[in-house]
């Protein structure tokens, strides 16, 4: 053979070696349960997140279970069977609107008036639903089912300091709270209770304690503590002078104004 053999052309840009699949780095996972660049969260992480949300709901479930018994007794006195009362708790899952609706019926009102009373008390969930929508997944049907577990307690458990919501904590805490409410209603409707004396059993103190437990994790900074203290002082003062409805409105207004004032410096810095 004559002539000079040509050398094979080399790649001008060296290629990195193929990664070893056994030693490839693990993909990053979104702690909120959303699918990140490497895929969904591993099963162990999901189980831990679900367990954390469920544990956080247990203290509130004790109080909700007690209120469920009270509602079951009230519904039984209004002529509801155990199946009807328990179904109402499972489908509505809002104690205030259920108490209002059944109280209307007990006092001689019709079903239409009861439905209006319950609906008006549920209007606050429109605002809560808009806020929590980005954390939910799937189509309309799936989001509707998941939003059924949104109440004040699961809302607070799922909320983060940055204003976003953790979907796993929302669902896991919501399931535990839902079970407590439904089982409490069933026990009240089937049990040997004729009436639940709220004052005798101290259930009148459960609601303030419950909402304080919801508020406590959000008092980590001095401005937040000042806002809560000011709102609480205004509410206590107005309640003492027999203006409880006004007290609630003023306390909410104080919280809104304080939040707006606290957000202004951050907005100016971003500009």
């Amino acid at each position: 053979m004559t002539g000079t053999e040509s050398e094979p052309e080399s790649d001008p840009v060296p290629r990195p070696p193929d990664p070893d699949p056994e030693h490839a780095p693990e993909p990053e996972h979104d702690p909120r349960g959303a699918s990140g660049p490497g895929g969904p969260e591993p099963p162990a992480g999901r189980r831990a997140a679900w367990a954390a949300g469920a544990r956080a709901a247990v203290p509130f479930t004790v109080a909700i279970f007690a209120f469920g018994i009270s509602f079951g007794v009230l519904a039984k006195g209004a002529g509801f069977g155990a199946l009807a009362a328990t179904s109402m708790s499972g489908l509505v899952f809002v104690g205030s609107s259920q108490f209002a609706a059944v109280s209307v019926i007990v006092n001689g009102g019709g079903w239409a008036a009861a439905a209006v009373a319950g609906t008006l008390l549920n209007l606050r969930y429109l605002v809560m639903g808009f806020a929590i929508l980005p954390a939910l997944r799937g189509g309309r049907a799936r989001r509707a089912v998941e939003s059924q577990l949104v109440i004040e307690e699961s809302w607070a458990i799922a909320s983060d300091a940055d204003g976003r919501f953790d979907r796993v904590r929302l669902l896991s805490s919501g399931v535990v709270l839902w079970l407590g409410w439904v089982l409490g209603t069933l026990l009240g409707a089937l049990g040997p209770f004729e009436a639940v004396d709220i004052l005798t059993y101290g259930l009148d103190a459960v609601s303030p304690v419950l909402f304080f437990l919801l508020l406590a994790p959000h008092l980590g900074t001095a401005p937040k503590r000042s806002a809560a203290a000011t709102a609480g002082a205004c509410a206590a003062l107005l309640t003492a002078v027999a203006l409880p409805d006004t007290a609630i409105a003023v306390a909410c207004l104080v919280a809104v104004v304080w939040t707006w004032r606290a957000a202004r410096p951050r907005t100016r810095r971003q500009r």
Side-chain angles (χ1 to χ4, degrees):
M1 182 164 37
T2 61
T4 306
E5 296 183 2
S6 60
E7 296 182 358
E9 295 182 0
S10 59
D11 191 348
V13 179
R15 298 179 181 176
D18 294 335
D20 185 355
E22 295 183 358
H23 299 85
E26 295 184 359
E28 297 181 358
H29 304 289
D30 187 349
R32 299 174 189 277
S35 297
E41 191 176 0
R46 287 198 299 269
R47 286 195 296 269
W50 277 88
R55 285 195 302 269
V58 169
F60 306 107
T61 305
V62 174
I64 285 178
F65 180 77
F67 277 120
I69 295 175
S70 180
F71 173 74
V73 173
L74 177 65
K76 179 170 61 176
F80 284 66
L83 178 60
T86 306
S87 298
M88 184 180 186
S89 286
L91 294 173
V92 179
F93 189 34
V94 181
S96 57
S97 64
Q98 290 180 230
F99 273 104
V102 174
S103 297
V104 169
I105 295 174
V106 168
N107 290 291
W111 286 98
V116 170
T119 301
L120 290 175
L121 285 172
N122 277 353
L123 289 178
R124 65 189 184 277
Y125 288 106
L126 285 175
V127 179
M128 295 171 67
F130 283 123
I132 206 136
L133 178 61
L136 304 181
R137 289 184 185 174
R140 293 180 179 179
R142 180 175 178 178
R143 294 199 303 270
V145 172
E146 292 184 352
S147 65
Q148 181 69 11
L149 298 175
V150 178
I151 59 174
E152 285 85 350
E153 291 80 5
S154 61
W155 163 281
I157 291 172
S159 65
D160 289 332
D162 58 3
R164 295 186 293 176
F165 294 89
D166 187 299
R167 172 180 171 272
V168 174
R169 289 205 307 268
L170 171 72
L171 299 181
S172 57
S173 61
V175 168
V176 175
L177 295 163
W178 184 87
L179 287 173
W181 177 247
V182 171
L183 292 177
T185 301
L186 181 63
L187 179 59
L190 290 178
F193 308 104
E194 294 298 331
V196 177
D197 191 336
I198 293 179
L199 295 178
T200 299
Y201 291 100
L203 295 181
D204 56 324
V206 172
S207 184
V209 172
L210 183 66
F211 281 98
F212 178 77
L213 291 175
L214 291 175
L215 177 65
H218 301 278
L219 300 178
T221 63
K224 292 179 180 179
R225 289 191 292 269
S226 299
T230 304
C234 291
L237 177 62
L238 292 172
T239 302
V241 295
L243 294 172
D245 295 335
T246 306
I248 296 174
V250 170
C252 292
L253 180 62
V254 169
V256 169
V257 172
W258 222 277
T259 303
W260 173 72
R261 291 184 60 187
R264 287 181 64 189
R266 291 197 299 268
T267 304
R268 289 176 179 175
R269 286 196 297 269
Q270 291 174 356
R271 291 177 181 176

